[in-house]
Amino acid sequence: MEQLQKLARKNILELTPYSSARNEYSGHEARVFLDANENPYNSPINRYPDPLQRKLKAEFSKIKGVAPECMFLGNGSDEAIDLLYRIFCNPGIDNVIAIEPTYGMYKVCANINNVEYRPVPLNSHFQVDAAQLLAATNQYTKLIWICSPNNPTGNCINRETIIHLLENFGGIVVVDEAYSDFSSETPFRRHLSSYPNLVVLNTMSKAWGCAAIRLGMAFASEEIITFFNKVKYPYNVNQLTQNEALQMLNDVVQIEKWVNLILAERERMIDAFKLLPICQQTYPTEANFFLAKMTDANAIYQYLIDKGIVVRNRNSVTLCRDCLRITIGMKSENQELLAALRCYK
């Protein structure tokens, strides 16, 4: 992809990546490892992990429907977010576009990498026109961030908007689908072959219940994934994380049960919130959380904290005044929250 060569930073194009010991003998069977200055004792964790997570990617490929060579695995989705800045954005020169409000790490990583961050506000329905996003771009715009389902609003961004961006923006469109397992929308990762400028993010932290192991993923063309692998640290996903992920991938039926339980509880919780005198509005959601506009978000949030119940106060976020973001927990946890709110005065 000639355009990709123009989008990537010059120093990245010229970069010679670190060649790890485990990469150099790739494709050969080995029994004796005297190459990486490892301690020969304390097997199996004395050995460095596979830097490209080949076995794990092969299993993910069966579930996600994406070829292993079109897949990057990282230390949470945040690593993939940071790498996109480091691959494509020249510090102090380039800029990125994002919807507002959305996941905060896009802006944090922009600031860390000294890249101008240009937010485009959503409308009252938490949607945005592609024309508005494109109007905010210029010749130095490298990335457009779209979180769908969006955090903290919970809704999916109109599919036609995203497709219009993919077909009319000359840079990279990043669609963050962290919550897609809770959504009825078709994931954009299934359309990678149609859009060479598409990067789709996903994670094991949400539906898979594996936030503690910090495993995120990026799906993109093989050319873009080559850049990810060139820039990432050699052993970015440790062996313990890889082992736990492999174990979870063998229990897809359990994950589906969890998702169905969460979806059922989500509807029950939204219905219950609508009956609360202190709740003014709930918003449509396709995630494992929902946004609720309260009479006084700050006071209600503090009241819940005093009772040992933690929700997310989004009062200071654009378009979310007096809103609390409620993650769907187990039924007993949800009941405790509702009981506390029913006693609020």
Side-chain angles (χ1 to χ4, degrees):
M1 181 183 173
E2 183 179 348
Q3 179 66 14
L4 190 60
Q5 301 296 316
K6 296 177 181 178
L7 289 172
R9 290 167 51 181
K10 184 174 183 293
N11 66 303
I12 300 301
L13 291 171
E14 297 174 350
L15 175 68
T16 300
Y18 176 80
S19 179
S20 70
R22 292 298 176 262
N23 270 330
E24 292 173 356
Y25 78 92
S26 179
H28 300 274
E29 290 295 327
R31 294 180 297 102
V32 178
F33 297 95
L34 304 175
D35 58 328
N37 302 336
E38 300 155 323
N39 189 323
Y41 306 106
N42 200 33
S43 179
I45 61 172
N46 60 322
R47 300 299 181 186
Y48 287 108
D50 176 4
L52 292 177
Q53 311 94 30
R54 295 172 181 86
K55 184 177 180 180
L56 184 52
K57 286 179 180 176
E59 294 304 310
F60 264 124
S61 181
K62 299 173 186 176
I63 294 171
K64 300 293 185 179
V66 176
E69 59 270 20
C70 295
M71 188 183 306
F72 166 81
L73 301 182
N75 185 0
S77 297
D78 294 341
E79 181 180 2
I81 291 168
D82 184 58
L83 286 179
L84 283 162
Y85 280 102
R86 291 161 61 192
I87 293 167
F88 294 108
C89 299
N90 290 286
I93 298 174
D94 293 328
N95 65 72
V96 302
I97 308 297
I99 57 176
E100 177 74 18
T102 195
Y103 180 44
M105 279 304 296
Y106 311 143
K107 185 175 183 179
V108 170
C109 283
N111 292 337
I112 290 172
N113 287 281
N114 191 25
V115 174
E116 181 188 357
Y117 183 86
R118 298 182 172 187
V120 175
L122 300 175
N123 61 28
S124 59
H125 300 289
F126 297 144
Q127 293 292 343
V128 67
D129 291 331
Q132 290 177 272
L133 292 165
L134 292 172
T137 67
N138 63 13
Q139 61 180 319
Y140 299 110
T141 305
K142 293 295 186 68
L143 308 171
I144 295 180
W145 298 98
I146 302 290
C147 187
S148 183
N150 189 30
N151 177 11
T153 61
N155 64 300
C156 288
I157 302 303
N158 285 336
R159 198 169 191 84
E160 295 75 17
T161 295
I162 299 174
I163 291 173
H164 187 85
L165 292 174
L166 288 165
E167 294 177 346
N168 292 275
F169 176 54
I172 305 296
V173 177
V174 188
V175 181
D176 190 342
E177 295 186 334
Y179 302 96
S180 61
D181 291 303
F182 303 102
S183 172
S184 58
E185 291 274 342
T186 301
F188 266 91
R189 69 173 183 270
R190 297 184 184 176
H191 304 294
L192 290 176
S193 60
S194 300
Y195 304 108
N197 60 333
L198 170 64
V199 175
V200 176
L201 303 182
N202 211 193
T203 179
M204 289 198 78
S205 296
K206 311 304 179 185
W208 290 85
C210 289
I213 72 172
R214 305 306 301 131
L215 185 66
M217 57 209 80
F219 307 119
S221 68
E222 188 173 354
E223 290 81 3
I224 291 178
I225 296 301
T226 298
F227 281 120
F228 273 101
N229 291 333
K230 190 176 186 181
V231 177
K232 78 175 185 71
Y233 290 119
Y235 304 107
N236 62 320
V237 179
N238 70 71
Q239 192 61 57
L240 301 180
T241 290
Q242 293 188 45
N243 291 345
E244 184 64 27
L246 283 167
Q247 185 174 331
M248 291 302 299
L249 292 180
N250 287 324
D251 202 4
V252 176
V253 173
Q254 180 61 63
I255 309 306
E256 291 175 349
K257 289 180 180 178
W258 288 344
V259 169
N260 288 333
L261 285 170
I262 290 170
L263 292 179
E265 275 295 285
R266 185 183 73 186
E267 298 314 305
R268 187 182 74 86
M269 287 293 288
I270 290 173
D271 289 342
F273 259 69
K274 289 177 180 178
L275 299 176
L276 293 172
I278 58 174
C279 179
Q280 298 180 325
Q281 183 179 358
T282 60
Y283 296 92
T285 180
E286 294 217 35
N288 66 329
F289 62 84
F290 66 96
L291 199 64
K293 187 176 181 62
M294 313 300 284
T295 52
D296 187 338
N298 288 342
I300 295 169
Y301 173 78
Q302 190 57 54
Y303 164 80
L304 291 172
I305 287 291
D306 292 341
K307 290 187 171 294
I309 301 171
V310 185
V311 297
R312 194 79 155 118
N313 186 358
R314 300 286 76 188
N315 180 59
S316 61
V317 173
T318 303
L319 298 179
C320 296
R321 182 159 180 86
D322 274 322
C323 286
L324 298 179
R325 193 191 71 192
I326 312 297
T327 302
I328 304 302
M330 292 186 292
K331 189 169 186 176
S332 59
E333 296 172 315
N334 299 333
Q335 282 300 111
E336 188 171 350
L337 170 62
L338 290 172
L341 291 175
R342 286 165 182 156
C343 294
Y344 177 82
K345 296 178 181 179

